[in-house]
Amino acid sequence: MSGIAGRYDESDVRSRPNPRGSRPRTKQRPDHADADQALVTGVDRGRYTLLVSPDTADERPAVAMKARELGRERVVCGDHVDVVGDTSGTRGSLARIVRVHERRTVLRRTADDTDPVERVIVANADQLVVVTALADPEPRTRMIDRVVAAAYDAGMDALLCLTKADLASPDPLVALYAPVGVEVVVTSVREGTDGRTIDGLDDLRQRLTGRVSVLVGHSGVGKSTLVNALVPGTGRATGDVNDVTGRGRHTSSSAVVLRLPDRAGWVVDTPGVRSFGLAHVQVENLLGAFPELADVAEERCPRGCSHGSDAPDCALDAWVAEGGPDAPARAQRVDSLRRLLTARSSGASVQP
């Protein structure tokens, strides 16, 4: 107000100080050019365990929180991030994650096949290792199919690790998954005078060398036992199978990234799963795991073809019939694809 009492003057409003402070507000954020690069190795209630400057002479562990400017962007195990603040890793220090690098691969699952919310399990893994017991608990092929489908959708290789071969033959499962392009390694535990030995561990270790591999499986299949043998000193908790339900008890509560001895590669141990929804999986990505079938589908199948056994005018059946002596092998490949497609659309993410 100025002049006559009660008269309104806009200049008075313009001249008032900013009630939120004198510093002008801006949406510009610092570029954090001096940020350190780090690998996320664990996530626990808003705190992130990191390996700062991995594979360098300055490599060190640290703990961080997520910067506010990242908003709701999720940070998961396997992410490569930029961090600022106190990255010394000393006790009580806390850094800040300010950037998440582009992910090479993303392994996802949903709670069920109708859930629109995707849950990212791990980022930047090359290989998915499906750990399945041959007995105690019994193998669940529908779950294996679904996990393999998720791996192919993520652009990852799939490896089936069969445990407890001392209790049952692996031959039926090997025959079932070889046509899908899934490599198989078989392990068993042997008790001796020198303690417990895992037969087949060297074969598994060889297939993990030089790669980032994520281990997925039901509780009680021996996943944590394998991790403890692959990375001595890890101390991942192991458990028994419930005599009443036939299912394992959860022993790992969160995913963790572990380095193999001699820097031979990385393994990601994940909590035991009982469901694996595939609402996010695209048919085209499953076809990509079968290059010869993808070519036939692209050239000869009608637009929108589901490629299922009941799909009208699906050219895959005609392609099998044209195979002559190769027809049985072609039929096996088509059946393998359709098994994965059925897993995707079955609507049952839990194997009874």
Side-chain angles (χ1 to χ4, degrees), residues 163-186:
T163 64
K164 306 184 183 181
D166 51 309
L167 301 180
S169 171
D171 294 345
L173 284 180
V174 172
L176 186 61
Y177 287 97
V180 188
V182 177
E183 294 191 18
V184 181
V185 60
V186 180

Side-chain angles (χ1 to χ4, degrees), residues 253-266:
S253 59
S254 60
V256 61
V257 181
L258 302 166
R259 176 184 268 144
L260 293 171
D262 300 323
R263 298 177 179 261
W266 302 86

Side-chain angles (χ1 to χ4, degrees), residues 63-136:
V63 177
M65 61 181 292
K66 188 174 69 172
R68 181 177 297 178
E69 56 258 39
L70 291 181
R72 295 188 177 182
E73 183 176 359
R74 290 200 61 190
V75 179
V76 301
C77 278
D79 268 329
H80 295 281
V81 298
D82 288 341
V83 291
V84 299
D86 190 346
T87 64
S88 65
T90 57
R91 184 167 183 167
S93 63
L94 186 64
R96 204 158 39 96
I97 298 174
V98 294
R99 258 191 306 272
V100 179
H101 293 198
E102 184 177 355
R103 295 162 173 167
R104 293 185 294 106
T105 63
V106 180
L107 179 64
R108 304 176 174 92
R109 74 180 179 97
T110 55
D112 55 48
D113 290 343
T114 60
D115 185 2
V117 180
E118 299 176 4
R119 291 158 176 81
V120 178
I121 300 174
V122 66
N124 300 312
D126 308 307
Q127 178 174 240
L128 192 152
V129 183
V130 190
V131 183
T132 301
L134 290 164
D136 191 30

Side-chain angles (χ1 to χ4, degrees), residues 16-341:
R16 291 174 186 169
N18 182 353
R20 296 182 180 271
S22 58
R23 186 171 58 185
R25 301 179 66 185
T26 176
K27 292 185 178 181
Q28 291 183 339
R29 302 296 184 194
D31 59 7
H32 298 299
D34 59 343
D36 290 314
Q37 292 190 10
L39 170 69
V40 178
T41 59
V43 180
D44 184 19
R45 291 170 294 185
R47 290 293 183 266
Y48 302 87
T49 305
L50 310 175
L51 196 60
V52 181
S53 302
D55 297 318
T56 71
D58 198 29
E59 178 182 291
R60 59 197 182 276
V63 177
M65 61 181 292
K66 188 174 69 172
R68 181 177 297 178
E69 56 258 39
L70 291 181
R72 295 188 177 182
E73 183 176 359
R74 290 200 61 190
V75 179
V76 301
C77 278
D79 268 329
H80 295 281
V81 298
D82 288 341
V83 291
V84 299
D86 190 346
T87 64
S88 65
T90 57
R91 184 167 183 167
S93 63
L94 186 64
R96 204 158 39 96
I97 298 174
V98 294
R99 258 191 306 272
V100 179
H101 293 198
E102 184 177 355
R103 295 162 173 167
R104 293 185 294 106
T105 63
V106 180
L107 179 64
R108 304 176 174 92
R109 74 180 179 97
T110 55
D112 55 48
D113 290 343
T114 60
D115 185 2
V117 180
E118 299 176 4
R119 291 158 176 81
V120 178
I121 300 174
V122 66
N124 300 312
D126 308 307
Q127 178 174 240
L128 192 152
V129 183
V130 190
V131 183
T132 301
L134 290 164
D136 191 30
E138 294 297 318
R140 300 168 181 172
T141 55
R142 283 175 56 197
M143 176 63 80
I144 298 172
D145 288 346
R146 300 175 77 79
V147 177
V148 169
Y152 287 158
D153 180 72
M156 300 165 57
D157 295 330
L159 173 67
L160 179 59
C161 179
L162 301 176
T163 64
K164 306 184 183 181
D166 51 309
L167 301 180
S169 171
D171 294 345
L173 284 180
V174 172
L176 186 61
Y177 287 97
V180 188
V182 177
E183 294 191 18
V184 181
V185 60
V186 180
T187 68
S188 61
V189 175
R190 174 166 44 88
E191 300 289 349
T193 56
D194 297 333
R196 176 178 292 184
T197 301
I198 301 180
D199 293 328
L201 188 65
D202 288 341
D203 189 12
L204 175 60
R205 187 180 287 114
Q206 182 178 357
R207 295 166 190 261
L208 302 179
T209 298
R211 315 201 74 184
V212 179
S213 304
V214 53
L215 278 62
V216 174
H218 284 287
S219 299
V221 298
K223 181 164 52 64
S224 294
T225 298
L226 289 176
V227 171
N228 288 336
L230 290 166
V231 190
T234 301
R236 298 293 275 177
T238 59
D240 300 321
V241 175
N242 189 299
D243 293 333
V244 176
T245 65
R247 293 177 175 176
R249 298 178 177 89
H250 290 287
T251 54
S252 301
S253 59
S254 60
V256 61
V257 181
L258 302 166
R259 176 184 268 144
L260 293 171
D262 300 323
R263 298 177 179 261
W266 302 86
V267 292
V268 185
D269 187 21
T270 63
V273 296
R274 290 181 178 168
S275 66
F276 214 102
L278 299 177
H280 62 287
V281 170
Q282 302 298 316
V283 173
E284 294 77 11
N285 292 345
L286 292 184
L287 269 171
F290 303 85
E292 73 276 36
L293 303 189
D295 291 341
V296 173
E298 183 178 2
E299 294 174 4
R300 300 168 57 177
C301 286
R303 183 182 296 274
C305 180
S306 67
H307 310 298
S309 56
D310 57 348
D313 303 321
C314 180
L316 296 181
D317 296 298
W319 177 76
V320 170
E322 297 165 2
D326 294 333
R330 290 188 177 192
Q332 195 172 40
R333 294 289 282 170
V334 172
D335 288 343
S336 297
L337 168 66
R338 286 175 173 168
R339 197 169 80 239
L340 295 184
L341 292 173

